[in-house]
Amino acid sequence: MVKLCVSSISSGTERANLTGSTSVSIAAKEQKVAQFPRRGGYSSAGIIEKTGKNVTTVKVGDRVAVANSSHSQYIVMAEKNVYPIGDISFSDAALYFISTFSLAAIRKCRLEIGESAIVMGLDVLGLAALQLLRAAGATPIIAVDPDPEKREKALKSGADYALNPYDENFAATVKKLTDGGAKVGIEVTGVGAGLNGILDCMARFGRVTLLGCTRVSDFTIDYYRKVHGPGITLIGAHMPENCSMVEAAAIPETFATAYLNLFIEGNIKSGDTLLMNAGASGLASVIIPMAKAFGIRVITTVLTDEIANNIKHLNADRVFVTTKEDIAEVLKEELENGHPVDVAIDCLGGEIMGKCIHYLKHGVRWIMIAALAGQKTEIDLKNIYVRNVRIIGSTLRSRTPEVKAQILSELVEKVWPKVESGKVKPIIYKVLPITEAETAHDILYKGQNVGKVVLTVE
């Protein structure tokens, strides 16, 4: 239990709560009607008053920063959300957690030393972003806000220039100062006009992180001319709670691919049976736990007993070794025992695919995502129409932006809560510095990994 001494205010979040915004939690469905009561705050500092018997990193009397807190005199927190601060002032420590959002935004933009940067909006997050951009080597750094007092403070916080977005020729001035436009943009205002404004200031192939929460949809962006044409990358700054930066790096493409094939192409439901080939692959390390979290029975294949033992933590219902058991016989057994395969996700292909079709459920969806075991197979076409088999080719990269947006939206709504609760987590096999990228590729080439290999950039 912590007695709070200082609790920070983030204007966007506080305003959303006080005004009854229906978009207050990315992990929950958007509310149709505002629900009260609500509790503001999430970044604070105070003194430990009591600890549980299993707490080891802090003790009574310690001065700590607190993450995911609320504006309360006393608050009970998990040990992982309190951090000793030594002699740091409570006022500074109360900004610790909120400042990590600014740091995450800069990291996601992959800023390189010497690149130009612009920060649109100079509240707490914006001022923190300025200081972190300066420390990371950005130059020049342009701060933008209509409030002259905030612009003055920005110049003391690391900005090279501070501009008013309502000035005539504002975007042209930014492009002149940055020799053609900013390479990195941090949008903090959370309003449509702010996003529109920063897009006007970006260099070709620039990266913009949406650090502010644009909670309303009543604005228009000319995506063709401001995003698509100049090749701008828009990056959401939010990541699920209870998820490290390394884990977050392993989420986007793999989780999107898993969701696409399980629920959109496969239309799989609780109680169905899934066949996931190559159970030790990076994709399988996500698909199997995700399927289990949604009540799906999972069968998977591996090459050796050793690999079967290595993937026990994925909790597949049945793992069989293809060098010892014939896949067609296994599927025939499952069919006879009342567990026919409803959906198969196949990255192997090859001759074994054709052998399996006869032993699947009527109406099965067989989803081909690769052909690592061979591009040719022999299929008895009679089994296709008699069993109403649907063979579906699927890749994520070929989807339209609209479909990709749908996938990501449904991920946030349906899967994020399971990530935050720990029911679904990316499996990390190894973390290596980016200077060892060749070693990472060698691990993948040799098939040594169970889960993802992540590269870190220092």
Side-chain angles (χ1 to χ4, degrees):
M1 182 170 69
V2 182
K3 180 180 180 181
L4 296 188
C5 299
V6 178
S7 188
S8 295
I9 292 176
S10 175
S11 57
T13 302
E14 301 289 343
R15 186 184 303 112
N17 277 310
L18 292 172
T19 59
S21 170
T22 55
S23 297
V24 290
S25 173
I26 197 68
K29 288 185 177 181
E30 184 175 356
Q31 301 169 2
K32 294 183 178 180
V33 179
Q35 298 177 4
F36 291 94
R38 296 178 175 184
R39 302 179 72 180
Y42 52 81
S43 185
S44 59
I47 301 171
I48 300 289
E49 290 276 313
K50 294 182 181 180
T51 62
K53 62 180 181 179
N54 294 323
V55 173
T56 60
T57 59
V58 292
K59 62 183 184 301
V60 173
D62 280 355
R63 305 167 78 253
V64 294
V66 187
N68 293 312
S69 58
S70 61
H71 299 319
S72 305
Q73 184 176 2
Y74 293 92
I75 187 167
V76 176
M77 300 298 300
E79 183 179 7
K80 67 179 181 179
N81 286 333
V82 296
Y83 306 88
I85 60 174
D87 296 330
I88 297 174
S89 71
F90 287 126
S91 295
D92 287 345
L95 295 171
Y96 154 73
F97 182 56
I98 195 172
S99 296
T100 64
F101 301 169
S102 301
L103 178 61
I106 294 168
R107 285 181 171 178
K108 287 187 175 185
C109 276
R110 294 291 186 254
L111 173 77
E112 296 186 12
I113 293 175
E115 285 191 313
S116 55
I118 182 171
V119 177
M120 179 71 76
L122 300 176
D123 65 0
V124 173
L125 290 169
L127 292 172
L130 289 176
Q131 297 177 63
L132 292 166
L133 284 166
R134 175 60 67 198
T139 184
I141 302 171
I142 299 174
V144 183
D145 201 284
D147 187 333
E149 291 185 8
K150 290 184 178 180
R151 294 201 299 271
E152 184 178 349
K153 185 174 290 187
L155 292 171
K156 297 177 181 178
S157 299
D160 295 295
Y161 306 96
L163 305 179
N164 185 340
Y166 296 116
D167 283 348
E168 189 175 0
N169 298 321
F170 159 67
T173 301
V174 172
K175 291 195 172 183
K176 181 178 180 181
L177 294 172
T178 56
D179 192 25
K183 299 290 188 181
V184 167
I186 310 294
E187 205 301 295
V188 188
T189 68
V191 297
L195 178 55
N196 252 317
I198 201 169
L199 289 173
D200 289 335
C201 300
M202 300 306 296
R204 185 167 176 78
F205 304 121
R207 293 94 70 198
V208 178
T209 300
L210 306 178
L211 183 53
C213 298
T214 309
R215 301 173 190 271
V216 295
S217 57
D218 57 348
F219 64 92
T220 301
I221 299 290
D222 186 346
Y223 281 97
Y224 181 74
R225 289 178 173 81
K226 295 191 177 187
V227 179
H228 175 73
I232 301 299
T233 300
L234 292 176
I235 308 165
H238 177 82
M239 65 183 186
E241 296 178 7
N242 194 29
C243 181
S244 70
M245 292 294 286
V246 168
E247 290 172 326
I251 285 178
E253 185 168 9
T254 310
F255 272 55
T257 301
Y259 187 88
L260 164 67
N261 292 303
L262 279 172
F263 300 105
I264 296 179
E265 294 291 8
N267 192 30
I268 203 163
K269 298 178 177 60
S270 178
D272 284 353
T273 296
L274 168 73
L275 170 64
M276 178 68 218
N277 276 329
S281 66
L283 183 58
S285 73
V286 172
I287 284 182
I288 294 173
M290 187 181 291
K292 294 297 297 178
F294 284 89
I296 296 159
R297 186 171 185 274
V298 180
I299 305 169
T300 192
T301 65
V302 294
L303 286 172
T304 67
D305 289 321
E306 181 182 2
I307 296 174
N309 187 62
N310 289 341
I311 68 166
K312 281 184 177 180
H313 62 284
L314 300 180
N315 296 317
D317 296 274
R318 181 169 182 177
V319 180
F320 67 93
V321 180
T322 55
T323 53
K324 297 171 65 175
E325 297 182 86
D326 181 82
I327 186 171
E329 290 300 316
V330 170
L331 296 179
K332 179 181 179 182
E333 179 186 327
E334 292 289 330
L335 176 64
E336 293 172 347
N337 290 337
H339 300 296
V341 170
D342 298 271
V343 175
I345 298 178
D346 186 10
C347 61
L348 299 178
E351 63 178 26
I352 62 170
M353 177 197 172
K355 296 178 180 179
C356 298
I357 299 298
H358 184 67
Y359 302 110
L360 307 174
K361 187 174 182 178
H362 188 273
V364 66
R365 283 80 70 199
W366 189 285
I367 303 168
M368 292 298 308
I369 60 173
L372 300 178
Q375 298 179 16
K376 295 182 180 180
T377 193
E378 184 176 314
I379 297 176
D380 181 347
L381 293 177
K382 182 178 179 180
N383 284 324
I384 299 294
Y385 61 81
V386 168
R387 306 194 71 81
N388 195 24
V389 175
R390 302 176 187 180
I391 299 175
I392 302 167
S394 176
T395 62
L396 177 65
R397 294 183 184 181
S398 65
R399 309 292 163 148
T400 64
E402 292 78 12
V403 172
K404 291 177 181 177
Q406 175 197 352
I407 294 168
L408 294 176
S409 176
E410 292 186 18
L411 265 179
V412 169
E413 177 186 345
K414 299 175 182 178
V415 179
W416 257 219
K418 295 186 183 295
V419 174
E420 293 182 336
S421 69
K423 291 182 179 179
V424 180
K425 295 287 261 185
I427 306 298
I428 308 300
Y429 175 73
K430 186 164 287 190
V431 180
L432 296 169
I434 197 168
T435 52
E436 297 182 28
E438 186 175 350
T439 301
H441 281 286
D442 195 48
I443 291 171
L444 300 178
Y445 177 75
K446 293 178 179 178
Q448 297 171 340
N449 58 304
V450 178
K452 305 296 287 185
V453 178
V454 177
L455 299 177
T456 59
V457 182
E458 299 295 339

